[in-house]
């Protein structure tokens, strides 16, 4: 009733659709022709290679990602955070390999190998042993 007072052409029993909005078929009804494209804006799409989409993003983000993982792995005693950082290293190395980015791949591998501290005199911690495991798995 309130809507009829504001806009008398609005029928409260019929849902209004804004101009240019997709056509929605009632349950059980079948759309044909242009109505299919209007009802589903994703009906026609083009596919692409995911590497082409990920590579530019990784080119921009790999330095901050590396520094974040490195700082967290170096400073945190939390085993969950260490596990997430090592998982991040693993995925970053995979993305760099698939994207054919040898400099970034080598940087992540080198950084991960430094956390193994095999040549260091300092006492080995659990996170160093996990770093060795991750490096072997990569």
């Amino acid at each position: 009733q309130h809507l009829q007072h504001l806009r008398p052409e609005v029928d409260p029993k019929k849902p209004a659709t804004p101009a240019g909005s997709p056509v929605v078929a009632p349950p059980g009804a079948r759309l044909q022709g242009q109505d299919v494209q209007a009802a589903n804006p994703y009906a026609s799409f083009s596919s692409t290679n995911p590497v082409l989409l990920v590579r530019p993003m990784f080119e921009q983000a790999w330095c901050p990602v590396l520094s974040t993982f490195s700082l967290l792995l170096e400073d945190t005693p939390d085993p969950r955070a260490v596990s997430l950082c090592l998982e991040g290293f693993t995925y970053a190395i995979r993305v760099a390999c698939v994207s054919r980015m040898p400099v970034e791949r080598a940087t992540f591998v080198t950084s991960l190998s430094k956390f193994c501290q095999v040549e260091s005199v300092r006492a080995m911690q659990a996170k160093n042993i996990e770093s060795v495991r991750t490096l072997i798995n990569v």
Side-chain angles (χ1 to χ4, degrees), residues 4 6 13 27 30 35 52 64 69-70 93 100 109 114 137:
Q4 287 179 344
L6 295 175
K13 294 179 182 131
R30 295 183 57 86
D35 290 338
L52 298 176
F69 290 157
S70 299
I93 292 168
R100 298 179 193 250
V109 170
K114 288 184 181 180
N137 288 334

Side-chain angles (χ1 to χ4, degrees), residues 1-133:
Q1 206 174 40
H2 180 65
L3 290 176
Q4 287 179 344
H5 170 59
L6 295 175
R7 295 189 63 189
E9 68 272 6
V10 173
D11 184 6
K13 294 179 182 131
K14 180 181 174 190
T17 57
S21 67
V23 176
V24 178
R30 295 183 57 86
L31 297 175
Q32 296 179 0
Q34 287 183 326
D35 290 338
V36 172
Q37 262 189 333
N40 186 3
Y42 304 108
S44 62
F45 61 90
S46 60
S47 63
T48 184
N49 186 350
V51 174
L52 298 176
L53 299 174
V54 172
R55 183 184 171 112
M57 291 185 280
F58 190 71
E59 283 177 346
Q60 295 298 315
W62 75 271
C63 285
V65 167
L66 177 65
S67 64
T68 302
F69 290 157
S70 299
L71 285 173
L72 279 173
L73 196 56
E74 182 80 29
D75 294 339
T76 187
D78 182 24
R80 177 74 177 137
V82 169
S83 173
L84 289 173
C85 288
L86 293 174
E87 188 177 340
F89 269 104
T90 302
Y91 288 129
I93 292 168
R94 286 182 187 171
V95 168
C97 287
V98 170
S99 300
R100 298 179 193 250
M101 303 169 76
V103 172
E104 291 82 352
R105 176 186 47 94
T107 305
F108 275 98
V109 170
T110 303
S111 180
L112 183 58
S113 68
K114 288 184 181 180
F115 285 113
C116 296
Q117 295 183 351
V118 176
E119 70 278 347
S120 178
V121 180
R122 292 187 348 188
M124 292 281 285
Q125 297 176 353
K127 62 183 172 184
N128 303 116
I129 296 169
E130 289 300 318
S131 298
V132 171
R133 284 188 185 142

